[in-house]
């Protein structure tokens, strides 16, 4: 995919972040999410692609913009788009760290059309590629990753969503001696951290959203890491939803190549609130400063974009909270 598009996609996530960041700490996650959606959708109109949203804000009758199946872009190459204009709505509403505006772009048919349900995930960085098995006990995965990283299990840090459903894997990881970082929301950022050297995060484990799993897989693939996943339906309606989207085997283990086919993928994210890897949006009189990451799977290039936006010089979504 053309490298010139990479910066265009950063502009899309920047627009969502700048719009949503105004709502930080104001206790209104719905308004924060809507601002991000509005900003991202408007920015897509300036990008020379013919994009189809395959992972978005919901079905057409549930979301007025960035709904699944919506066509976006100014015209150009046909691509599939996965978006989460605001990953971590609660984080923004409460002024907590770790929220991002995020998207992934790939040629048509290359992103898994994941239903809106839960997904069990395990993600690691490049040095542990090929060493993980989602069917294996947590202890075995920890030993395999520790060996690949040439360190003890006690030196590993595992990120897990702080949910009652994770009590068993938290206990397994603790019993094995691993360090654990429990997070309240948002597992795309931790997947990126697990795949980048030097973040002090070595593995992502646990059950989160399936759409977010595809976004995480796009980032991990660009970084040369590894990921496995499996849908985690809560009821028969979830199973039917998955089958309606073409997933016949509900117990199928998805490899990273199932989640994102081929290497021609671009991933971009802009921090909204402060994170471990990226700085949150900072406003000043007449403008804002953003911090983003953009990656290309075909080249493995990772760029950090530190940008200053002057609102009187160009149109930006600066709707006041």
């Amino acid at each position: 995919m053309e490298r010139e598009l990479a910066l265009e996609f950063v502009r899309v996530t920047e627009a969502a972040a700048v719009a949503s960041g105004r709502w930080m700490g104001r206790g209104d996650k719905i308004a924060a999410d809507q601002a991000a959606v509005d900003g991202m959708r408007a920015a897509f109109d300036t990008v020379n692609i013919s994009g189809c949203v395959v992972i978005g804000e919901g079905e057409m009758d549930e979301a007025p913009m960035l709904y699944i199946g919506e066509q976006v872009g100014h015209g150009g190459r046909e691509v599939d788009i996965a978006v989460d204009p605001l990953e971590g709505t609660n984080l923004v509403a409460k002024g907590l760290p770790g929220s991002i505006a995020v998207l992934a772009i790939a040629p048509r048919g290359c992103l898994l059309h994941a239903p809106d349900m839960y997904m069990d995930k395990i993600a690691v960085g490049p040095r542990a590629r090929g060493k993980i098995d989602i069917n294996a006990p947590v202890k075995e995965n920890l030993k395999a990753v520790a060996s690949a990283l040439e360190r003890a299990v006690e030196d590993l840090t595992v990120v897990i969503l702080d949910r009652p459903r994770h009590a068993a894997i938290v206990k397994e990881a603790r019993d094995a001696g691993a360090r654990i970082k429990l997070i309240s929301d948002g597992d795309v950022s931790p997947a990126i951290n697990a795949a980048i050297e030097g973040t002090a995060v070595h593995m992502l484990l646990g059950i989160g959203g399936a759409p977010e799993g595809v976004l995480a897989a796009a980032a991990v693939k660009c970084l040369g890491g590894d990921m496995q996943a499996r849908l985690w339906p809560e009821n028969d309606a979830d199973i039917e939803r998955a089958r309606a989207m073409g997933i016949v085997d509900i117990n199928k283990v998805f490899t990273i190549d199932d989640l994102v086919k081929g290497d021609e993928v671009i991933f971009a994210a802009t921090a909204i609130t402060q994170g471990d890897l990226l700085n949150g949006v900072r406003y000043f009189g007449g403008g804002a400063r953003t911090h983003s990451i953009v990656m290309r799977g075909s080249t493995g290039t990772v760029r950090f974009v530190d940008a200053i936006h002057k609102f009187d010089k160009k149109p930006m979504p600066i709707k006041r909270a």
Side-chain angles (χ1 to χ4, degrees):
M1 191 174 295
E2 298 85 349
R3 67 173 179 264
E4 292 82 3
L5 287 173
L7 185 57
E8 296 302 312
F9 297 138
V10 171
R11 291 192 178 105
V12 173
T13 56
E14 286 174 344
V18 169
S20 182
R22 291 289 190 189
W23 291 92
M24 189 187 82
R26 298 187 56 126
D28 192 340
K29 67 178 184 179
I30 294 175
D33 185 59
Q34 187 60 58
V37 171
D38 292 345
M40 180 171 281
R41 182 61 183 83
F44 263 126
D45 286 340
T46 68
V47 183
N48 291 325
I49 56 168
S50 295
C52 178
V53 177
V54 298
I55 290 175
E57 291 293 284
E59 302 295 332
M60 184 169 60
D61 57 351
E62 298 173 355
M65 288 189 292
L66 296 178
Y67 55 82
I68 296 170
E70 184 178 8
Q71 305 297 310
V72 299
H74 191 62
R77 181 168 183 182
E78 294 188 350
V79 294
D80 280 351
I81 300 172
V83 301
D84 194 343
L86 172 47
E87 206 236 352
T89 54
N90 286 320
L91 299 177
V92 172
K94 296 177 181 180
L96 296 174
S99 63
I100 58 174
V102 58
L103 62 81
I105 309 285
R108 287 284 168 89
C110 289
L111 297 177
L112 178 71
H113 294 198
D116 188 9
M117 57 185 289
Y118 282 130
M119 175 181 274
D120 195 8
K121 314 164 193 175
I122 178 171
V124 293
R127 292 169 63 190
R129 186 176 178 86
K131 305 297 183 181
I132 55 174
D133 180 358
I134 200 169
N135 289 317
V138 171
K139 183 177 181 179
E140 290 185 17
N141 278 304
L142 288 169
K143 284 183 176 179
V145 172
S147 177
L149 298 181
E150 299 180 327
R151 65 183 68 198
V153 170
E154 290 78 8
D155 297 327
L156 298 180
T157 298
V158 183
V159 175
I160 304 172
L161 277 167
D162 190 6
R163 300 288 188 272
R165 62 179 179 265
H166 290 148
I169 65 171
V170 168
K171 183 178 187 304
E172 286 185 69
R174 286 174 173 165
D175 289 346
R179 289 155 37 100
I180 296 174
K181 182 177 182 179
L182 294 173
I183 58 173
S184 62
D185 293 278
D187 61 359
V188 176
S189 288
I192 300 171
N193 292 342
I196 291 183
E197 294 278 352
T199 63
V201 172
H202 308 101
M203 182 187 295
L204 169 75
L205 279 177
I207 298 161
E212 290 82 0
V214 177
L215 284 161
V220 171
K221 188 154 203 181
C222 288
L223 292 163
D226 201 4
M227 182 170 172
Q228 291 183 5
R230 178 172 47 214
L231 293 176
W232 199 76
E234 295 185 279
N235 47 48
D236 290 341
D238 279 350
I239 295 174
E240 290 305 313
R241 185 179 298 111
R243 287 175 175 163
M245 297 186 74
I247 301 173
V248 178
D249 182 3
I250 201 69
N251 297 310
K252 175 182 172 64
V253 173
F254 295 98
T255 67
I256 194 163
D257 291 324
D258 294 322
L259 296 165
V260 180
K261 296 177 182 177
D263 294 326
E264 202 174 355
V265 58
I266 295 177
F267 175 92
T270 301
I272 301 172
T273 56
Q274 188 69 23
D276 292 335
L277 188 66
L278 300 172
N279 295 318
V281 180
R282 287 157 286 174
Y283 298 92
F284 54 85
R289 186 172 183 176
T290 58
H291 197 203
S292 306
I293 186 171
V294 59
M295 303 178 266
R296 295 179 65 216
S298 58
T299 62
T301 303
V302 179
R303 288 185 172 90
F304 291 89
V305 181
D306 191 353
I308 293 176
H309 311 272
K310 293 292 189 71
F311 297 152
D312 61 343
K313 297 292 185 181
K314 59 181 178 179
M316 285 289 289
I318 57 171
K319 183 178 179 180
R320 301 287 175 173

